[in-house]
């Protein structure tokens, strides 16, 4: 009879049985082992863990085209200078945090400003931001995300209006000279026939 797969399972016993991928993923989730990759890769990480107690990171290709080796991302790795929010990092964070992981502006800014810290600290920071957002905390939006800021400010001042109204006011705002911050006078576009032309 196939034994239950848990942290007490013998590595040799593990290798002697057939396991569904779902079982391997569940084990990895419970032990904080990276869960991405194919079934063979999961099994290799689990067998290594059962033998040594160590958690293998994810092997990813180096960014430089001339490099043929691999580097390992793990919770103990340090965030490099010039960090980029790329696919390898997305996969790594999903493997550690779960499928609900998504990059967000506060977290991306934190990563770029905290090179030298560990990925373990990065995971803690993402979870902190995630919990803050769930509790309703609002983060300041960077200037390059003016549209998001405008829409947020629009609804803060006009909770009874629609997204269509907000977008119409935004399109008018960015078509005229001046700043792009929401102002009460922007509402006039909802009541007047204003022709919206692209800003040059």
């Amino acid at each position: 009879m196939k034994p239950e797969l848990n942290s007490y399972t013998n590595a040799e016993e593990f290798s002697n049985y057939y396991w569904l991928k779902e079982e391997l993923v569940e084990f990895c989730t419970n032990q904080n082992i990276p869960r991405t990759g194919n079934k063979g890769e999961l099994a290799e990480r689990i067998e290594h863990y059962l033998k040594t107690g160590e958690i293998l990171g994810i092997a990813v290709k180096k960014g430089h085209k001339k490099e043929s080796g691999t580097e390992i991302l793990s919770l103990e790795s340090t965030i490099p200078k010039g960090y980029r929010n790329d696919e390898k990092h997305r996969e790594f964070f999903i493997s550690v945090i779960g499928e609900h992981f998504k990059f967000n502006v506060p977290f991306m800014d934190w990563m770029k400003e905290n090179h030298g810290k560990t990925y373990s600290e990065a995971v803690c920071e993402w979870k902190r931001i995630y919990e803050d957002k769930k509790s309703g905390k609002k983060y300041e939006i960077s200037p390059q995300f003016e549209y998001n800021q405008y829409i947020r400010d629009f609804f803060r001042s006009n909770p009874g209006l629609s997204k269509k109204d907000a977008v119409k006011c935004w399109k008018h705002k960015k078509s005229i000279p001046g700043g792009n911050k929401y102002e009460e006078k922007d509402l006039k576009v909802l009541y007047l026939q204003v022709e919206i032309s692209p800003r040059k």
Side-chain angles (χ1 to χ4, degrees):
M1 187 173 182
K2 188 170 75 171
E4 180 183 353
L5 179 55
N6 55 44
S7 58
Y8 299 104
T9 303
N10 181 278
E12 184 176 350
E13 190 176 38
F14 168 76
S15 63
N16 285 335
Y17 286 92
Y18 174 84
W19 306 92
L20 298 172
K21 186 173 182 180
E22 289 78 7
E23 294 176 295
L24 303 182
V25 169
E26 182 180 2
F27 179 87
C28 289
T29 300
N30 293 336
Q31 305 302 324
N32 292 320
I33 298 172
R35 301 174 302 170
T36 58
N38 59 41
K39 189 175 174 182
E41 291 169 329
L42 293 176
E44 182 181 349
R45 291 181 205 136
I46 292 173
E47 187 172 359
H48 180 82
Y49 175 80
L50 294 175
K51 284 180 179 177
T52 67
E54 297 175 351
I55 295 177
L56 288 176
I58 300 174
V60 294
K61 295 179 181 178
K62 289 187 176 180
H64 199 287
K65 291 182 179 179
K66 292 184 179 179
E67 297 288 342
S68 58
T70 60
E71 59 183 345
I72 302 296
L73 284 183
S74 72
L75 292 174
E76 290 72 37
S77 300
T78 55
I79 302 166
K81 196 169 184 178
Y83 161 86
R84 297 177 61 187
N85 300 299
D86 52 23
E87 184 64 20
K88 75 177 181 182
H89 282 99
R90 187 184 71 82
E91 289 185 3
F92 171 75
F93 285 122
I94 286 176
S95 73
V96 175
I97 295 172
E99 295 296 331
H100 62 293
F101 170 82
K102 286 186 175 72
F103 284 117
N104 56 64
V105 174
F107 180 66
M108 292 189 290
D109 288 343
W110 188 91
M111 290 295 291
K112 291 176 181 177
E113 294 167 3
N114 286 277
H115 58 84
K117 291 188 177 180
T118 66
Y119 282 90
S120 178
E121 291 175 284
V123 168
C124 290
E125 180 64 14
W126 187 91
K127 290 180 178 178
R128 184 188 69 77
I129 294 171
Y130 180 73
E131 291 301 321
D132 282 349
K133 287 192 170 188
K134 279 175 63 177
S135 65
K137 180 176 179 179
K138 300 291 184 183
Y139 284 85
E140 182 180 349
I141 300 176
S142 301
Q144 64 265 36
F145 299 100
E146 290 177 311
Y147 168 79
N148 291 341
Q149 184 68 63
Y150 185 94
I151 299 298
R152 177 186 291 179
D153 293 342
F154 179 94
F155 283 119
R156 185 180 292 123
S157 300
N158 309 284
L161 295 180
S162 67
K163 178 70 175 292
K164 184 178 179 180
D165 293 330
V167 172
K168 185 174 182 179
C169 288
W170 163 253
K171 287 182 177 179
H172 175 65
K173 188 74 172 184
K174 69 188 182 71
S175 73
I176 60 177
N180 289 329
K181 290 187 176 180
Y182 171 76
E183 298 174 277
E184 187 176 353
K185 65 181 181 180
D186 296 347
L187 295 177
K188 70 181 181 181
V189 74
L190 300 179
Y191 310 107
L192 300 173
Q193 292 297 322
V194 180
E195 182 179 349
I196 300 175
S197 57
R199 181 184 295 175
K200 297 180 179 180

